[in-house]
Amino acid sequence: MKDETKEVSMDGTERKGTSRRGFLTTTLAAGGALAGAGLARAQGAPDPLITEVQSWAQGWGDGVDATPYGLPIHYESDVVRRNVSWLTADAISSINFTPIHALDGTITPQGCAFERHHSGAIELSKADYRLMINGLVDTPLVFTYEDLERFPRVTRTFFLECAANTGMEWAGAQLNGAQFTHGMIHNMEYTGVPLRTLLEEAGVKPEGKWIYVEGADASSNGRSIPLEKAMDDCLVAFKANGEALRKEHGYPVRLVVPGWEGNMWVKWLRRVEVGDQPWESREETSKYTDTLEDGTSRKWTWVMDAKSVITSPSPQSPIKHGPGPLVITGLAWSGRGSIARVDVSLDGGKTWKEARLAAPGQDKALTRFYFDHVWDGSEMLLQSRAIDSTGYVQPTKTELRAFRGVNSIYHNNCIQTWWVKASGEAENVEVS
Ligand code: MTE
Ligand code: CO
């Protein structure tokens, strides 16, 4: 029997094909399916959380000044940075990892954004802060913190990825959790002065082609950066996510080098020297190269290529419910532009479906993606694949190894696979 009517919806468009009755039946059927899958519980034993007045409704809550600067509620105490103790000899020159498996959206709260220090996080006050610009400039300058605050400033969101992120995974699937395989990344909204403005204030001489940037910590973390990049989009930042930088992220001032390796984002920035060539002898250049299969090394591989990872489900974020609706979500980013598309595979890369981006990809910033799935309860080989605004497609592990071998540490941007079992638990694996 044909049951076709015309309906005019609120926005005035005509909907053909379903009568009100037909619509109701479908909705109810879908509702029933969701209830069956555990999304809604209308029947069964009375739930005391609904029927009884609970203890928290029988007295007062905390007054407004209980925590002048709030921390996450204690129920969330496992959402913290973690390290891998065997990776480094001590915690001073070490790294920890952002709990990306437990976060959503794109902004990383500073309190759980990974840290990487070569000689520990130092305490430097705004009063003691100085930034010097010298070398091939018309007027060498020294800025105080207050000086920096008087230049026109900008606010922009960027990801910072350590070049070593995913570096333990070259030879095989090793660390069991997105936090550990992909957590050397964070994404913050920075406020600061374009480095270009300060360099123009000092006046770069025509021979100036490079800058050398260093921090006030014992390691100084000195790096050479082409002047072109310095004049393009680098920021001398003093705020992150609206508030002062945390000590561990470079308080009071850090350099932001959008899309480039995290090691160039000098914390506790104290000096910018302009020169006509890179200062290779001053740097740990041997550390930041990518050794290829034939023994030769790539150097100056500053840009972070497009990459993505499913953050949930993942080993630290297993599926805790049975078959039915399942939100698959993750992060994608590219140092060469914005994320144009993310695909998700449930079968280890044999077939792909397009994921939904939470918001259009932003230049050199994290993009959140969702894939709304109805899980049949069978095991999956979950993968995500990022495609950026240059058309670059994130490579498989096999493709990347064919070009890069397995001797590198840095720049592993391959597709990650999580084996999700029927139990809902997930494991870090490789597919051939
Ligand atoms: N800057 C200074 N002064 N000292 C450092 O040890 N580590 C670098 C970079 N800038 C470092 C530094 C490295 S290797 C990385 S990945 C990033 O800072 C990490 O920044 P974060 O600690 O804010 O995550
Ligand atoms: Co690093």
Side-chain angles (χ1 to χ4, degrees):
M1 197 183 83
K2 249 189 159 180
D3 191 11
E4 210 176 75
T5 54
K6 273 186 189 169
E7 260 187 36
V8 180
S9 65
M10 304 273 284
D11 60 5
T13 52
E14 268 186 11
R15 255 197 352 177
K16 244 183 106 184
T18 37
S19 69
R20 185 168 301 271
R21 214 177 118 225
F23 179 69
L24 266 179
T25 331
T26 352
T27 317
L28 282 178
L34 292 187
L39 270 193
R41 291 179 191 80
Q43 287 157 356
D47 182 349
L49 285 168
I50 292 293
T51 56
E52 308 299 320
V53 177
Q54 300 296 318
S55 57
W56 51 82
Q58 293 173 14
W60 305 122
D62 288 340
V64 287
D65 286 334
T67 42
Y69 194 101
L71 285 173
I73 192 164
H74 60 90
Y75 300 126
E76 297 293 316
S77 60
D78 60 333
V79 183
V80 288
R81 305 187 267 237
R82 290 181 196 280
N83 70 9
V84 174
S85 55
W86 51 262
L87 268 183
T88 53
D90 61 59
I92 305 292
S93 180
S94 193
I95 186 124
N96 57 22
F97 302 88
T98 308
I100 52 171
H101 63 287
L103 302 178
D104 213 312
T106 54
I107 293 293
T108 318
Q110 288 200 69
C112 68
F114 89 95
E115 309 162 71
R116 166 73 174 115
H117 317 305
H118 290 82
S119 52
I122 57 164
E123 223 160 83
L124 174 58
S125 71
K126 286 178 183 168
D128 290 340
Y129 180 77
R130 297 289 184 277
L131 171 62
M132 175 161 106
I133 299 190
N134 69 333
L136 296 176
V137 289
D138 299 332
T139 325
L141 294 172
V142 173
F143 304 94
T144 63
Y145 185 87
E146 289 72 27
D147 292 336
L148 293 180
E149 284 185 312
R150 299 177 65 187
F151 285 93
R153 65 184 85 133
V154 296
T155 289
R156 298 199 55 193
T157 303
F158 296 112
F159 75 82
L160 179 164
E161 184 182 19
C162 178
N165 198 20
T166 324
M168 282 76 76
E169 303 290 313
W170 277 103
Q174 182 152 224
L175 298 172
N176 217 22
Q179 178 168 21
F180 304 111
T181 55
H182 290 76
M184 289 186 201
I185 192 158
H186 50 64
N187 191 62
M188 302 188 195
E189 186 194 66
Y190 295 97
T191 301
V193 180
L195 178 56
R196 178 192 191 106
T197 307
L198 302 179
L199 286 168
E200 281 172 350
E201 188 76 8
V204 175
K205 289 194 191 300
E207 317 88 85
K209 292 284 173 278
W210 288 78
I211 59 164
Y212 182 76
V213 283
E214 66 181 9
D217 53 333
S219 80
S220 87
N221 196 77
R223 292 290 183 274
S224 302
I225 300 178
L227 186 71
E228 207 184 345
K229 178 69 176 172
M231 297 300 256
D232 180 14
D233 55 1
C234 292
L235 297 181
V236 174
F238 39 80
K239 293 275 161 73
N241 301 340
E243 63 180 353
L245 281 163
R246 295 283 168 87
K247 164 181 158 181
E248 60 269 35
H249 301 301
Y251 181 93
V253 175
R254 95 171 299 165
L255 187 65
V256 169
V257 190
W260 286 29
E261 294 177 340
N263 70 75
M264 317 193 74
W265 296 48
V266 173
K267 302 191 273 192
W268 314 290
L269 181 68
R270 71 181 285 268
R271 196 164 74 90
V272 178
E273 183 178 342
V274 180
D276 56 3
Q277 54 196 332
W279 288 261
E280 293 195 66
S281 60
R282 286 187 196 163
E283 296 182 58
E284 314 157 82
T285 40
S286 57
K287 282 177 69 183
Y288 287 94
T289 54
D290 306 317
T291 306
L292 303 180
E293 202 61 2
D294 62 5
T296 60
S297 288
R298 304 194 312 169
K299 70 171 185 176
W300 292 349
T301 46
W302 298 303
V303 184
M304 303 309 293
D305 282 315
K307 186 164 167 180
S308 70
V309 65
I310 289 176
T311 52
S312 180
S314 65
Q316 297 159 288
S317 179
I319 306 174
K320 297 202 184 89
H321 54 77
L326 168 69
V327 174
I328 297 172
T329 185
L331 293 166
W333 61 95
S334 169
R336 297 189 191 275
S338 59
I339 289 298
R341 199 178 95 205
V342 179
D343 296 330
V344 166
S345 176
L346 311 174
D347 54 14
K350 288 192 197 111
T351 58
W352 294 95
K353 284 183 187 131
E354 191 170 342
R356 174 167 62 87
L357 304 186
Q362 266 178 280
D363 193 41
K364 304 178 184 80
L366 290 191
T367 297
R368 168 67 55 182
F369 65 87
Y370 298 107
F371 185 78
D372 306 301
H373 182 51
V374 179
W375 184 42
D376 63 7
S378 61
E379 54 177 53
M380 299 181 279
L381 288 169
L382 273 189
Q383 297 186 336
S384 63
R385 169 175 83 179
I387 295 129
D388 74 12
S389 49
T390 70
Y392 174 94
V393 181
Q394 186 184 359
T396 65
K397 205 162 188 179
T398 311
E399 283 165 355
L400 195 64
R401 279 187 185 140
F403 169 53
R404 298 273 307 280
V406 292
N407 295 326
S408 296
I409 296 171
Y410 305 112
H411 294 276
N412 182 348
N413 69 319
C414 73
I415 290 174
Q416 170 67 40
T417 312
W418 304 126
W419 171 33
V420 180
K421 303 167 200 181
S423 64
E425 280 156 12
E427 209 178 288
N428 181 7
V429 296
E430 287 184 4
V431 291
S432 48

